[in-house]
Every structure is written in C-alpha cells, then in structure tokens.
Amino acid sequence: MYLGSYERVAFTSEDGWSQHAGAMAKITEMRGPYQQQAQPDKELFEASRSLIAIRALMQRKRCFLEQTIWKTVPWALEPESKRCVHYLQDILCDLPGIVEDATSLLDFANAGGDASNLYRELRCKIISSLEELYEWRWKWEAEFPNSCYKVKPSQSSSPFSTVLYFKDLDRASLITHYNGILLILLRLHRGLRIPYRPVREPASYRSCEVQASVLTNPLLLPGRANSLEDVAREICRTVEYHLLGFEGRAGGYYLFFPLRIAYHLFEYESAEAKWLRQIMGVIADDSGFELGRHLIELSPISDNMEDRHLNKYTVAVPNNVLMCKAQKYFEF
C-alpha cells in the first residue's frame, strides 16, 4: 500500500501504482475474508478495497471483491462498523465484472455470434446495480441533510457559476465517488441501449413535509440529471472544496477516480475539459500527487464498438439516443 502511495506521488511509470495495487489484491485474496475481521487487518482492507477495484476496472477484469463473502465476512463480528462508504464500495466492486461482461458481449457481437443470453444477464446486472446505487443515494440524503451548499467560485477561471462546498471532506468524497460510479453505469446503460425506466423516490420521501425537511442539499437526486454531462459537472463543482478547503492533500487524492471518469464526458476543446486539464496540474503541484498531472493523458478504457453489432439484442429506442457509437460510452 505504501509503495502504491509512493507511485501516486512520484509517478515513476504509467502502471507503477497498478502493479502495487495488483500485488495488494493477490495478498488480500490469498489471506481470505476471515483474516480481515480484526484490526489492523480490517482497516487496511477497508483502505485498499477501492484501489483494488479501480485497478480491476481499468483492466476490464472482474474482481474477487464482487463475491458476497467479501462484502459480509470482514464486518460480520461488528455489523455496525460497516458504514456508508463501505456500502458504496460494494457497488464499485461489482463494476469490473460488469465491464468485463460488456466487453465479452461486444466481442461476441463483432464475431457474429449469438450473445442474447449474455445481453439479458448483463442488462439485469446493470439495472440492479443502478437500483442499488440509487437506494444508497437516497439513504445518504436522509443521513446527511444540510451537508452541502453553493458558493461563488473563488477563481475567475472556473467554468461554473457556482461551486459546491460541504460540511466535511468525507461527505464530499462520497458524493463525487457516487457520481463517478453512476456515470460508468449510465454510460453502459446507454451504450447497450437498455430501455430507460423512470426513477422513483422511496415512498418515505414523497410527502411535501419530508422533502422540505430532508431534501436540503443542492445536489442532483437519482434520475433528476438532464444529461450525463450534468453529472460530470457536479463532480467538477466539488473540486474547489477538495483542493482549496482546509483538508489539504487528502482532497486531491480523493478526486483521481471521479475526475478521470468525468473528463471523458466532455469534448476535448470544451471549457470544462480545458479547465480539468489545468486542475490536474494544480493537484500535482499543490497536493503533491504527480499522478494527477498524467492521469487524463493515460489511454481511456475503450473499444471499437459499433451500434449495428448490438441491433439484434436490443429493443427500438429513439434515434437521438443512437447517434453516438457505443464506443463513446465505454471510455472511462
């Protein structure tokens, strides 16, 4: 873990941090979930889980952490110790397997094979993960009311009229990582042309009284974003708090994964993309993580995916949804 942290600071090679994360994954899997129940092993496991999952995601290879035993056993002795962040990590750990299955589906389609069953299974997984993620988001809203507020950006170079500040860094990090995970699932949802289902808030949130007292954060609620770019912009609007607040270097570290996902939603010459390239340099200079300077230079996870290969597995959807090739939605 410490060697991985060194690579994120020094950036001696493109895959340096990934190699150390891979070694950490092998050691963790070899020791098994029951060895993660007592301290300090449990704390190290909780700290390394996201890195292991993100490495697997970038490699498009499913991760052992998606197994139920790895989501339950480490907290079995103290169930109350499993917190909001750990449930969000559970969903993150499912993403590498979903992306691997999506890649396999498109390989079958490109080869002219019958991938109907794989498509149906993958569609169910994506819908289920989105529902689980939305449920997590509603619970966050109930647990942390009045946690976020809008302010004018302190830098004139910001492309946003307002930015988002939080009561503490942990809440900001949870929302940015939620949005990063959401973008991956929504891009898969659109890339595979899964029919859209309206998102409904839980019954406990529907009354005017509850909404007035609970829904107090100026953040996008499940299903309320007009576009994927809106979700990416919400990630970007948290950057000033992460970098210019009182939290120091930790804020820059928490931005790596969400900003990499958000960057590929914007056109290269857009104001947001130009600003993000500048921000990555700021993270490297001010936070000390040299990886930030190179993060969006690394090749995106992408395939040459043509819509026509999926036609026989998907139902008809509006033409404006089909304008972009599926490749656009598989770049993370």
Side-chain angles (χ1 to χ4, degrees):
M1 181 178 294
Y2 291 116
L3 290 173
S5 298
Y6 169 77
E7 288 292 342
R8 290 189 290 278
V9 172
F11 195 77
T12 59
S13 67
E14 285 192 3
D15 62 347
W17 76 271
S18 179
Q19 291 178 3
H20 293 302
M24 192 161 49
K26 289 180 180 178
I27 293 171
T28 301
E29 184 176 18
M30 180 179 64
R31 298 186 72 237
Y34 289 94
Q35 296 300 317
Q36 319 301 328
Q37 292 181 321
Q39 301 295 1
D41 301 277
K42 183 179 177 182
E43 184 177 355
L44 290 172
F45 171 71
E46 291 172 343
S48 63
R49 213 160 57 124
S50 290
L51 286 176
I52 294 172
I54 290 171
R55 175 184 181 270
L57 177 62
M58 295 182 69
Q59 294 188 333
R60 293 177 168 267
K61 297 294 182 183
R62 66 181 352 101
C63 179
F64 66 93
L65 294 175
E66 73 175 3
Q67 300 170 29
T68 302
I69 193 172
W70 283 97
K71 298 178 181 179
T72 55
V73 168
W75 297 273
L77 300 181
E78 299 177 289
E80 70 282 356
S81 68
K82 188 167 185 179
R83 298 180 289 112
C84 189
V85 60
H86 304 133
Y87 288 104
L88 185 62
Q89 288 174 345
D90 285 349
I91 305 171
L92 173 63
C93 291
D94 290 334
L95 291 187
I98 290 174
V99 171
E100 180 180 328
D101 290 343
T103 304
S104 298
L105 168 66
L106 289 160
D107 287 343
F108 273 114
N110 290 337
D114 183 3
S116 301
N117 290 335
L118 182 56
Y119 175 79
R120 284 192 289 269
E121 292 173 4
L122 181 58
R123 180 179 61 189
C124 290
K125 288 180 182 178
I126 292 172
I127 292 173
S128 176
S129 291
L130 275 172
E131 290 175 346
E132 185 179 358
L133 186 63
Y134 288 149
E135 181 180 357
W136 179 94
R137 177 64 179 84
W138 285 114
K139 289 180 179 178
W140 185 96
E141 192 71 27
E143 186 174 350
F144 303 116
N146 298 302
S147 292
C148 174
Y149 54 96
K150 294 187 290 185
V151 300
K152 294 289 185 182
S154 62
Q155 303 293 323
S156 60
S157 59
S158 174
F160 309 105
S161 59
T162 61
V163 294
L164 299 170
Y165 272 59
F166 293 78
K167 284 191 174 179
D168 64 56
L169 182 61
D170 287 341
R171 298 180 196 184
S173 174
L174 284 172
I175 283 298
T176 52
H177 280 78
Y178 157 82
N179 278 326
I181 295 170
L182 177 62
L183 283 177
I184 292 175
L185 287 172
L186 289 179
R187 296 181 80 177
L188 288 166
H189 193 280
R190 283 179 61 176
L192 296 175
R193 293 178 289 169
I194 299 171
Y196 174 75
R197 293 182 180 181
V199 178
R200 299 191 176 205
E201 66 269 24
S204 57
Y205 292 90
R206 289 177 192 163
S207 72
C208 295
E209 294 81 4
V210 171
Q211 289 192 21
S213 62
V214 177
L215 306 182
T216 55
N217 295 300
L219 299 168
L220 294 170
L221 292 169
R224 305 289 176 84
N226 292 322
S227 67
L228 300 185
E229 290 78 9
D230 281 351
V231 179
R233 290 186 186 99
E234 184 165 275
I235 292 174
C236 295
R237 292 172 65 214
T238 71
V239 167
E240 180 172 312
Y241 173 76
H242 279 87
L243 297 185
L244 302 182
F246 56 87
E247 303 290 352
R249 296 186 177 189
Y253 173 78
Y254 289 139
L255 285 171
F256 285 153
F257 168 70
L259 287 187
R260 176 178 169 84
I261 304 302
Y263 178 75
H264 292 290
L265 264 295
F266 302 117
E267 297 295 333
Y268 184 82
E269 292 299 325
S270 67
E272 293 92 344
K274 292 178 180 178
W275 175 80
L276 276 172
R277 291 193 290 272
Q278 186 180 43
I279 285 297
M280 289 303 188
V282 172
I283 292 176
D285 293 336
D286 295 349
S287 298
F289 294 106
E290 190 63 23
L291 175 62
R293 199 184 308 279
H294 306 275
L295 189 64
I296 53 182
E297 298 173 4
L298 303 180
S299 299
I301 303 171
S302 60
D303 283 317
N304 293 322
M305 302 175 186
E306 299 287 344
D307 286 337
R308 59 186 173 83
H309 297 306
L310 299 174
N311 284 344
K312 55 187 174 183
Y313 309 121
T314 58
V315 299
V317 292
N319 287 334
N320 62 331
V321 178
L322 306 180
M323 291 298 291
C324 293
K325 296 179 180 179
Q327 176 181 357
K328 176 179 176 60
Y329 303 108
F330 285 77
E331 296 176 346
F332 308 131

